[in-house]
């Protein structure tokens, strides 16, 4: 694996690079584990290294979507606006469990607490709906990037927020109209959004958003959407 210096990067974010992500093949079958650092180096991604991830879309009871703006300490896609929470299940027994994606849903609960300060009891894995998966690849800069099969998770609940400023520099709840305005700004390079959020927003998000009370008809655990 390549040696890349992390001396200039944020100390807290560098510690997280030692976490063990779940390596998978293109059909989301587990093939091993590697560090978050190795999973996010473009040099490894270019050789095909692929890991499991998730994206949470949390709506309040007014049907507004919670967005976050990633902190400038983040190693990939700093300062970008994105959906509620995006991270990785780790290679340990509770988050490796694959039946109905329970491991991924547990990881989402853990990271919503870590990033957004949402108390664990406010959003349980049972309240998180696993919709489908997307497979995408994107470079953040010359060194770091993403190559993930991303589990799309939906939650509708009013929650308490206490974000970690090392993870998140701002957050807001948006209507569909407000999100479309944000996407327009991003298309003019007035703000930055993450590539996975852009892909999901341009394809599935508004259709799902229109159907929050009956999302079951969109559940598809067979297909992996190649983006």
């Amino acid at each position: 694996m390549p040696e890349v210096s992390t001396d200039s990067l944020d100390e807290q974010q560098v510690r997280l690079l030692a976490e063990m992500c779940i390596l998978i093949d293109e059909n989301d079958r587990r093939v091993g584990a590697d560090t978050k650092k190795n999973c996010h180096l473009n040099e490894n991604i270019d050789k095909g290294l692929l890991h499991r991830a998730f994206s949470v879309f949390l709506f309040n009871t007014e049907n507004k979507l919670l967005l976050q703006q990633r902190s400038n300490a983040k190693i990939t896609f700093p300062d970008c606006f994105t959906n509620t929470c995006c991270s990785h299940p780790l290679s340990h027994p509770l988050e490796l469990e694959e039946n109905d994606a329970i491991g991924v849903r547990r990881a989402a609960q853990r990271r919503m607490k870590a990033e957004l300060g949402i108390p664990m009891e406010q959003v349980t894995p049972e309240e998180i709906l696993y919709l489908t998966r997307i497979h995408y690849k994107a470079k953040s800069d010359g060194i770091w990037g993403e190559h993930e099969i991303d589990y799309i998770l939906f939650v509708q609940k009013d929650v308490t927020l206490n974000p970690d400023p090392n993870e998140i520099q701002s957050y807001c709840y948006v209507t569909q109209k407000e999100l479309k305005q944000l996407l327009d700004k991003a298309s003019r390079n007035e703000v930055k959004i993450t590539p996975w959020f852009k892909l999901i927003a341009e394809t599935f998000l508004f259709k799902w958003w229109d159907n929050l009370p009956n999302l079951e008809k969109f559940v598809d655990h067979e297909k992996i959407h190649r983006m």
Side-chain angles (χ1 to χ4, degrees):
M1 292 294 183
E3 273 309 308
V4 170
S5 172
T6 56
D7 293 347
S8 63
L9 302 175
D10 178 83
E11 191 178 321
Q12 183 174 327
Q13 293 296 321
V14 167
R15 281 198 300 273
L16 293 174
L17 288 177
E19 291 182 334
M20 296 300 288
C21 292
I22 302 167
L23 297 183
I24 51 176
D25 68 12
E26 293 212 342
N27 294 308
D28 194 27
R29 288 187 292 250
R30 183 160 56 98
V31 296
D34 207 339
T35 62
K36 182 178 174 186
K37 177 183 177 181
N38 282 335
C39 287
H40 290 84
L41 288 171
N42 288 326
E43 187 170 340
N44 297 330
I45 291 168
D46 289 343
K47 295 172 186 167
L49 203 67
L50 176 64
H51 64 278
R52 189 173 287 163
F54 62 81
S55 281
V56 177
F57 293 77
L58 184 145
F59 300 82
N60 64 15
T61 52
E62 296 178 350
N63 292 344
K64 292 182 178 179
L65 172 61
L66 178 60
L67 301 185
Q68 62 157 284
Q69 185 182 15
R70 293 161 68 87
S71 81
N72 60 13
K74 297 293 280 185
I75 293 167
T76 58
F77 304 101
D79 302 314
C80 289
F81 284 91
T82 195
N83 50 289
T84 311
C85 180
C86 323
S87 191
H88 319 93
L90 300 180
S91 185
H92 63 64
L94 276 177
E95 296 185 9
L96 283 166
E97 195 175 331
E98 294 182 350
N99 186 36
D100 201 24
I102 185 63
V104 172
R105 291 184 287 127
R106 287 175 183 140
Q109 179 194 36
R110 172 178 59 81
R111 287 303 298 174
M112 282 192 281
K113 172 72 168 70
E115 294 182 23
L116 293 151
I118 299 172
M120 301 275 275
E121 65 274 11
Q122 282 193 10
V123 179
T124 65
E126 293 70 30
E127 293 173 296
I128 299 171
L129 176 67
Y130 160 38
L131 267 183
T132 190
R133 291 168 291 178
I134 69 164
H135 177 187
Y136 78 96
K137 180 159 62 172
K139 288 187 175 180
S140 179
D141 57 24
I143 298 170
W144 303 97
E146 293 284 4
H147 186 210
E148 303 179 331
I149 289 183
D150 201 14
Y151 283 64
I152 308 302
L153 307 175
F154 268 49
V155 185
Q156 185 162 24
K157 201 157 191 210
D158 292 328
V159 294
T160 307
L161 297 171
N162 182 23
D164 178 353
N166 188 259
E167 293 284 346
I168 294 172
Q169 62 177 285
S170 69
Y171 67 90
C172 56
Y173 283 96
V174 294
T175 62
Q176 289 197 22
K177 181 180 178 184
E178 288 164 340
L179 177 55
K180 286 172 181 169
Q181 289 169 343
L182 183 72
L183 294 169
D184 283 344
K185 281 186 175 180
S187 71
R188 299 192 297 270
N189 295 317
E190 293 172 20
V191 297
K192 295 191 291 183
I193 60 173
T194 60
W196 63 86
F197 184 46
K198 181 174 188 285
L199 286 170
I200 296 164
E202 288 176 348
T203 49
F204 305 115
L205 178 57
F206 290 100
K207 176 175 64 178
W208 291 335
W209 199 338
D210 285 336
N211 289 275
L212 288 179
N214 47 8
L215 283 169
E216 286 72 21
K217 64 184 177 184
F218 297 105
V219 169
D220 183 355
H221 296 174
E222 299 303 314
K223 184 169 183 177
I224 300 171
H225 301 274
R226 314 289 177 182
M227 310 291 274

